[in-house]
Amino acid sequence: TWTKTPFVREVLEVYSHSAKNLTSAIASTTVVMDGYGIPCTKDHQRKKRSPLTGAEIQFTTESQTLCTKSTLLAHLPNRERFVDLLSHHLVRDGFSVRRSVAD
C-alpha cells in the first residue's frame, strides 16, 4: 500500500527493501517482472479482468504519486514505465532483473 502522495523513488525503495528482506540469505537473486507491453494471447482476458482504464501520467523517480496505486497502474504505459523504473532501481541495488515474455 502506498502512503499518501509519496515520491515514486520512495515507492521504489519500499519494493527494493522488501526484496532485500525476502532474499537476504540468498547470494544471488534474479527478479522476474511480468511481460506487460509485450503482446500475447492473454491480452483479451486481461482487459476483461481489469475494467479500469486510466490516463497516461508522465512521472519520474522525483515525481509525487498523486493518485492511488491501482489508478496509476491501470493504464498500460504507466505500468510499463513503473516496471522499467523499478527494474533499474533493483539492478542498482544489486539484483538481476529479467522481463518475462508474458505473465
Side-chain angles (χ1 to χ4, degrees), residues 27-39:
S28 176
T29 303
T30 299
V31 177
V32 179
M33 302 289 202
D34 281 346
Y36 294 111
I38 302 168

Side-chain angles (χ1 to χ4, degrees), residues 50-85:
S50 180
L52 294 174
T53 58
E56 185 168 355
I57 300 169
Q58 298 298 320
F59 60 92
T60 68
T61 57
E62 297 307 311
S63 301
Q64 270 191 301
T65 57
L66 300 176
C67 59
T68 65
K69 178 171 120 177
S70 59
T71 300
L72 179 71
L73 300 179
H75 191 62
L76 185 59
N78 297 339
R79 193 175 321 143
E80 290 173 5
R81 187 174 304 110
F82 183 80
V83 168
D84 286 341
L85 289 173

